[in-house]
Amino acid sequence: MKLQKNHRITLWQVLGWITVLMVLAPILSLLILAITGNFDHWHNLLQYVIPTALSNTLLLLIGVAIVVGLVGTGSAWLTSAYHFPTRKILMWALLLPLAVPTYIMAFAYLDLLHPLGPIQGVIRELLGYSSPREFRLPDIRSMIGAIFIMGLALYPYVYLSVRVMFMSQSANLVEAARTLGCTPRQAFIRLILPMARPAIAVGISLALLETLNDIGASEFLGIQTLTVSIYTAWVTRSNLSAAAQIAIFMLFIVTMIIYVERLSRQRQRYANTQRPRAIQPQILTGWKAILAIIFGWLPVIAGFVFPALYLIIETLKRIHNVGTVSNALLSSTINTVILAAIATLLTVFLGLIIAWVVRQPRFKYGKAMVRLGSLGYAIPGSVLAIGLLSPLVLIDSAISHIMEVFFSFPPQLYLMGSIAGLVIAYCIRFMAMGIGSVESGYARIPLSLDNAAQTLGYSPTQIFRKIHFPLLKPALGAAALLVFVDAMKELSATLLLRPLNFETLSTWLYAEAARGTYEEGAIAALLIVLVGLLPVIFLARTQFKNTY
């Protein structure tokens, strides 16, 4: 039965395209800003900034790709193909580093690996040394240190995608390889690993996009990346056109990463040729089980246990010594929650609009609308902030002119001077989560329900209120949770677009670390990590349910 034509759907379509335009505006603005800007500074940029920043960024991306690829794939295979004590706990524990943003990992390890810190102290004690002058580990403020820290924080992206792929692979293929004479290692290298390449590429691409977005860890560790160069060019040197032109380099790298990821997905359809039968884990005993436990838990201990314990101990010390937290930290916490809550509501609402429009059978541009609307997640926060600047200033000028003409208000910045600009940036950056979650929720609601409701005389609004909304509650809740937590952790765009004297937990921590004070930084970091645990628990429950 065909749906009747309804003019309200046209209104939703208009709202959907306006949302897409909001996502595209910073990209178009960035291109215009870069092309029309002054190029006189390029001699200086090419001599002192770009070579170092570009080589550091590429080295960091290559290093992080290797680390997350090895650790993520190895962990996924270990928990999929072998059964050993603590495996059931380890399966979800390997996701825990997702709760620790890269800048908090760097913040914690700067103290943990300090020459006078606990780790080097224990090592010196075991080796019989008494002073840092006699023995010390290499400085964590280096490229190797940055790769180590970001690899520990981001390997779960690879682990998650590859493990799901391993669990969906047919065990018959492995058994066939074994009957043809392959050892377990040969079967893994010659059969399993090539089949897992698309999933590995998807996980690595997500980790690399997060690496490009990072600004806090790179700056704490003294690595001048393209992101740090954008921040320096805009904030320190007040050279907006230079910042925009450097951002173009990053967009090019982002485009290449997305291209490789899409290419891998196209090949993924050739991987599954038989009805899946999960691989039966091989039981390990004795020294093999001990080795599996050690290698399996190492990423969790280094990527979550050490930083979390450090933050808990430092927080308890601070509270014990001072007895309370400062008003500035309380204010930052309230700012963070309010900002994240507003951004979450708006992002989920706009994602719902797009998902609703795409659901309509007569709408021909659904795929384009979803892809364009989700584009913001691939744009690093610093690049997004640069691109948003001109559109926000234009809108501010228009609003200010209207308010002055009709209400005699003095000229002022309504978006840039408030948290509205940040809310818009968060919406654009996290729109993909809103659209994806709601769209997956709509996929479980058959269109026949809409058709039946229309034959009973229900309007689109009544269909949404009485049918869609009750069924979409879990998807809307998941979308809200993901957006809220990511908004609380966001640092790059917040640093560049926040109003004067407005701090969030992430910017508070950044300022503490930049000043080298660390006094209440552990409390702010612990709050962010605790909130970040919520989606990890949700993810573990949904992804690993009934998989042992």
Side-chain angles (χ1 to χ4, degrees):
M1 182 180 293
K2 293 183 178 179
L3 290 172
Q4 296 175 359
K5 187 175 181 180
N6 194 319
H7 292 289
R8 291 187 182 181
I9 294 179
T10 303
L11 175 63
W12 291 117
Q13 289 176 5
V14 172
L15 290 175
W17 284 120
I18 290 174
T19 303
V20 169
L21 186 63
M22 182 179 79
V23 175
L24 292 179
I27 301 173
L28 297 175
S29 166
L30 188 67
L31 289 172
I32 295 171
L33 199 60
I35 293 170
T36 59
N38 189 351
F39 286 85
D40 294 342
H41 48 259
W42 266 92
H43 177 73
N44 184 59
L45 286 178
L46 286 175
Q47 194 168 4
Y48 300 109
V49 179
I50 294 296
T52 304
L54 190 58
S55 61
N56 281 346
T57 302
L58 293 178
L59 277 176
L60 189 61
L61 291 177
I62 293 170
V64 170
I66 293 172
V67 172
V68 299
L70 290 175
V71 177
T73 307
S75 303
W77 181 245
L78 184 67
T79 55
S80 301
Y82 299 101
H83 195 290
F84 49 89
T86 71
R87 168 181 172 266
K88 187 176 174 183
I89 302 173
L90 181 63
M91 278 167 46
W92 63 263
L94 283 162
L95 295 175
L96 287 175
L98 281 178
V100 188
T102 51
Y103 57 87
I104 289 181
M105 191 83 80
F107 172 81
Y109 268 102
L110 278 174
D111 259 17
L112 284 171
L113 290 176
H114 191 276
L116 298 177
I119 292 179
Q120 296 212 44
V122 170
I123 294 174
R124 278 197 299 272
E125 188 73 23
L126 291 174
L127 297 178
Y129 296 107
S130 58
S131 161
R133 293 180 180 176
E134 298 175 9
F135 174 84
R136 66 167 58 188
L137 294 174
D139 193 356
I140 191 68
R141 296 175 188 266
S142 63
M143 177 61 74
I144 297 295
I147 291 172
F148 165 75
I149 284 175
M150 291 194 192
L152 283 179
L154 301 175
Y155 80 83
Y157 286 104
V158 180
Y159 165 72
L160 195 59
S161 61
V162 175
R163 191 170 193 283
V164 170
M165 186 269 172
F166 284 155
M167 297 307 296
S168 64
Q169 281 302 315
S170 172
N172 295 338
L173 294 174
V174 180
E175 291 166 1
R178 297 296 305 278
T179 57
L180 292 174
C182 285
T183 63
R185 188 179 64 178
Q186 289 173 329
F188 176 75
I189 295 175
R190 297 169 62 179
L191 177 68
I192 299 297
L193 205 55
M195 290 170 64
R197 273 190 310 185
I200 295 172
V202 170
I204 288 177
S205 65
L206 290 173
L208 295 187
L209 290 176
E210 290 294 330
T211 305
L212 276 177
N213 183 52
D214 171 79
I215 188 170
S218 303
E219 193 154 1
F220 294 167
L221 300 173
I223 307 298
Q224 186 191 351
T225 61
L226 287 172
T227 306
V228 175
S229 299
I230 290 173
Y231 181 75
T232 305
W234 184 6
V235 176
T236 307
R237 300 175 184 168
S238 302
N239 193 337
L240 185 58
S241 59
Q245 289 156 2
I246 296 172
I248 293 296
F249 275 106
M250 290 189 65
L251 274 184
F252 174 74
I253 296 173
V254 167
T255 305
M256 293 304 297
I257 292 172
I258 292 174
Y259 173 74
V260 172
E261 188 264 343
R262 297 287 181 197
L263 198 64
S264 302
R265 281 195 188 186
Q266 285 178 358
R267 292 175 180 174
Q268 198 168 18
R269 65 177 181 271
Y270 299 107
N272 297 322
T273 57
Q274 298 184 17
R275 186 177 179 181
R277 182 168 64 85
I279 297 172
Q280 293 302 313
Q282 179 185 345
I283 298 175
L284 298 180
T285 56
W287 63 271
K288 290 183 179 179
I290 294 173
L291 284 180
I293 293 171
I294 293 172
F295 284 109
W297 280 95
L298 265 180
V300 182
I301 293 170
F304 181 79
V305 176
F306 278 172
L309 278 179
Y310 163 78
L311 296 177
I312 291 171
I313 292 170
E314 291 301 314
T315 298
L316 292 176
K317 279 184 186 174
R318 177 69 180 170
I319 293 175
H320 176 73
N321 293 335
V322 181
T324 184
V325 296
S326 67
N327 290 331
L329 180 57
L330 288 175
S331 174
S332 300
T333 306
I334 294 170
N335 289 343
T336 306
V337 173
I338 292 174
L339 183 61
I342 296 173
T344 299
L345 288 174
L346 191 56
T347 305
V348 174
F349 175 70
L350 294 176
L352 181 61
I353 288 176
I354 290 184
W356 163 262
V357 171
V358 170
R359 180 179 171 79
Q360 306 311 307
R362 296 183 179 183
F363 188 67
K364 299 178 181 177
Y365 308 103
K367 191 176 289 185
M369 181 175 280
V370 169
R371 285 191 175 180
L372 293 174
S374 305
L375 202 57
Y377 192 70
I379 306 173
S382 54
V383 176
L384 180 63
I386 298 284
L388 264 179
L389 195 61
S390 296
L392 291 180
V393 169
L394 282 175
I395 296 172
D396 262 337
S397 300
I399 296 174
S400 183
H401 180 71
I402 293 170
M403 299 301 283
E404 186 178 7
V405 170
F406 292 99
F407 303 103
S408 301
F409 283 6
Q412 60 177 303
L413 296 173
Y414 289 92
L415 298 181
M416 294 295 294
S418 67
I419 65 170
L422 272 180
V423 170
I424 293 171
Y426 287 2
C427 286
I428 294 173
R429 175 132 175 78
F430 305 127
M431 186 69 70
M433 297 178 188
I435 296 173
S437 298
V438 180
E439 202 180 13
S440 64
Y442 261 130
R444 298 187 179 93
I445 305 175
L447 275 172
S448 56
L449 281 179
D450 298 27
N451 297 341
Q454 279 200 346
T455 58
L456 294 173
Y458 279 31
S459 67
T461 305
Q462 288 174 317
I463 292 174
F464 175 78
R465 185 165 54 84
K466 295 186 177 182
I467 299 175
H468 291 180
F469 185 70
L471 296 175
L472 280 176
K473 279 182 181 177
L476 292 171
L481 177 65
L482 294 173
V483 174
F484 183 81
V485 172
D486 267 30
M488 282 198 69
K489 296 190 294 185
E490 219 295 322
L491 175 63
S492 302
T494 313
L495 271 178
L496 294 169
L497 289 176
R498 62 181 164 153
L500 288 174
N501 300 320
F502 182 87
E503 298 285 355
T504 65
L505 284 175
S506 60
T507 61
W508 171 267
L509 174 62
Y510 176 85
E512 287 274 312
R515 288 193 296 265
T517 53
Y518 298 95
E519 289 178 352
E520 289 185 318
I523 302 175
L526 186 61
L527 288 172
I528 295 173
V529 171
L530 290 176
V531 174
L533 281 174
L534 297 176
V536 174
I537 295 170
F538 173 77
L539 201 60
R541 288 175 61 88
T542 54
Q543 293 291 327
F544 298 144
K545 191 177 181 181
N546 299 327
T547 57
Y548 299 105

